Structure formats: structure tokens, C-alpha cells
Amino acid sequence: MANVTVIGAQWGDEGKGKIVDWLASRADVVARFQGGHNAGHTLVVGDQTYKLSLLPSGIVRGTLSVIGNGVVLDPWALRAEVAKLAGQGVAVTPETLHIADTCPLILPFHRDLDALREDASGQGKIGTTRRGIGPAYEDKVGRRAIRVCDLAHLGDLGPQIDRLCAHHDALLAGFGEPPIDRGRLERDLAEIADFVLGFARPVWLTLQEARARGDRILFEGAQGVLLDVDHGTYPFVTSSNTIAGTAAGGTGMGPAAAGFVLGIVKAYTTRVGAGPFPTELDDAVGQRLGERGREFGTVTGRKRRCGWFDAVLVRQSCAVAGVTGIALTKLDVLDGLEEIRICTGYRLGGRSYDHLPAHARDQAAVEPVYEAMEGWAESTAGARSWAQLPAQAIKYIRRVEELIRCPVALVSTSPEREDTILVRDPFAD
């Protein structure tokens, strides 16, 4: 049996939560490998809805869940999420959750700096969630980070805090803010240490042992390929690599462990926050997609921008992320539209493009080239087989496959886990 790596192949919010939950019911281990609590996954299990930000999606089913070293961890957000799940009847224990002992921590001043910089950026705002993700990754790369394992050696943190203060106090002074309160930081870390350390493990070893047993491992990505710090719409991106290859470095597994790479793709396109969006619709159709798709961010609650399916961007995402097959979600949102459009290329300055240019100005200026298709009046909501889909909906799916040069493995027709058409089983490859 193959492992499976799940990533978003657009700008995030593609419906990964439902698909990961569907796969997690058949996996032995679920591992997060990048991002932080800026991610948002909504799971619907029976009559219960779970909204996760940091915890892997397998946690609600008691599947062994791993937070890898590629994640930046806000320990206070973790505690709040664990408590929230406990209130919904889900117990998170050291037996069901392992956290990499090398995870960098998101600290209170990271959140403060994130907000200060965004507020001061004027027209340069990038739409950060203000949760400290970027500053925490900066400290990791700058070798200043406090990591989970440091919580077991609080008495030795002095030199590390010196490095943090030398960097951040200067930044805070530039904003007219007081320096880091070292005493408060030390007290905060001491207060949270025992809670986090209860889950701390060398997760690379956990995963190696699982692989040796022949366990099926599901690697769970956050955000989407178009938010990748290298391959996304820079600078309107996240602070980590969101492509499937990050599953290796973000968990301590070799690249061969990634297995089947499943790219999650909406049947249309959405984006939260600032940045280019070639197929965005500021009309009644865009409004309809947002209302029918309930397009509000799981983490921020922000309204998502909506537009037609962009085959150029998804083809690019599938290529750079090594996607094996896609899961097409929210097909039912397109029900009832007389005409559906798909972006098949771009025009810019009299030139045709079959990919998104690298520069932000060019990305914002490209004009989409559309192909129009007849819509369908029948409902696809809740369909669980090809036979239950209208012929025109099947035609739309097949055209998407052709344009993105990647096969459809799953089709999702509602938020319910079982309302899924299985075309190709990722775990069987």
C-alpha cells in the first residue's frame, strides 16, 4: 500500500479537510509537515463539525497524528484547540498526538510583530493572518528560534533569548514599541512547557517505525501551491513551501515516502486576502459562487474572492508539486449555471502565456482567455457515482482533466465525507 500526500493545488481553502478526513479513516498515521495555525480545515463527521487550525485532521478519529518539524507551533493556540476538541468529545492524548521535538515555537512577540508590520505596510500589505507565522519562520532560518526541545531546558535559554532580543528589540524600537519583556517570556514558557512536552517526540523515528510496520501514512499539507514561498504569487504567499516535496524535509522522511500526491482543487477558484487573481468575478456569478459555496475563511472568517476555474494555474501547480491525481471538490456549487467558463490561457501586452508570469505586476495585469461550456440544471449534490452525475457535469470534469494534464482521482459533491466519487484509490497505488 502506498502513502499519500495531500496538498492544495490552488490558493488554499480547496476543501482539504473533508478529503483528508475521508483518507484518514483508512490511514494509520496522519502527519502535518508545514505551516502553522494559519491553516484552516473543516471536517464534517455525522452531525458534528470540527474546525481545526493546527492539529492534523486524523485527530478527530483517534488516528495517530503527527506535527512535523516543518510546522511552526504556537503552544497556546495548541492548548486552546485541544481544549475545544475536548469540549466536542475528542480526547487528544500523548498516544494520539506526537509533536516533533525540533518544532520552532511561535511566541507572543511574533504575533505582535506580524500585526505591526502589516499595519505599517500601507499599499504593501500582503494579507497576513497576523498569527506570527512569518516572523517565527524568519527566526528559524536566522537560527534564533526557541524549539519544543528547549522547553525541557529552560535554565539554558539565556543565550538564545539574548539572540532573540538583539534582533527583535531593534525591530520593536523602530515601531516605537517597548522591548521584549524577558521575565514575562520566561514565565510564559515555564507555564506552557509541561503541556507541550507531554506530546514531544522525535517524530522522524515515529514515522520510520510506522513505515517499517507497513503502516499507511497520510501527509497533510496546509494552504496551497499558489501560496508557496517559491512557487506561489510572491510576495502574496505564505512563509513556507507548500508543495509535496516539503513532506520529506518537514517530517524527517525521505522523498520516496511521499507516495501518491493528491492535489485538492475546487471546481472554481477562490482566494482570501490580497494578491493577483486572473479569473476573479466581481459580478452576480461571483456573488453566487461565494454564497452557494459558503466562502468564508475557516481561520479568519474573511470573505473569499471567487472566480472561474483557472486551468493554467492548476496545471502549473500540478507540475511543480508533482501531483499524481486531483480531488475535484465543490462540483455542486456549479449546479444551475447556464454557462460555465474555464480559463485556458492568458494575454499580456499582445503576447499569449500558458503559465503565470513570475512578476507580481505582470500577474496582476494578465487577461484570462476563456473557453465556455454549457452548464447543467440537474443537482450533483450528494452524488456518489458517475451514474448520478449529469452528462454535462461529466463533460466538464473530463475537460478539466485535459487542460490541467492530470487525472481526477476523486470528486466531492458535498461537505459530507461519504458524498465522494472514487475514481482512483490513492492508497492502492
Side-chain angles (χ1 to χ4, degrees), residues 38 41 58 75 84 89 120-121 127 134 149 153 191-192 198 235 265 348 367 382 408:
N38 56 339
H41 290 171
K84 182 179 179 181
S121 293
C149 58
H153 301 274
E191 183 271 333
I192 200 71
V265 178
L348 177 62
E367 297 180 6
V408 169

Side-chain angles (χ1 to χ4, degrees), residues 165-186:
C165 289
H167 178 78
H168 285 277
D169 286 353
L171 294 176
L172 291 169
F175 288 107
E177 297 293 325
I180 292 172
D181 185 335
R182 292 183 62 133
R184 180 175 179 179
L185 175 60
E186 291 168 355

Side-chain angles (χ1 to χ4, degrees), residues 284-319:
V285 175
Q287 181 76 13
R288 174 187 171 129
L289 292 175
E291 290 174 355
R292 293 203 60 185
R294 299 177 183 177
E295 296 297 351
F296 295 90
T298 301
V299 171
T300 63
R302 290 182 294 181
K303 183 179 179 181
R304 297 176 186 140
R305 301 153 63 190
C306 297
W308 294 120
F309 185 84
D310 192 329
V312 182
L313 285 181
V314 175
R315 182 171 64 241
Q316 187 168 328
S317 292
C318 289

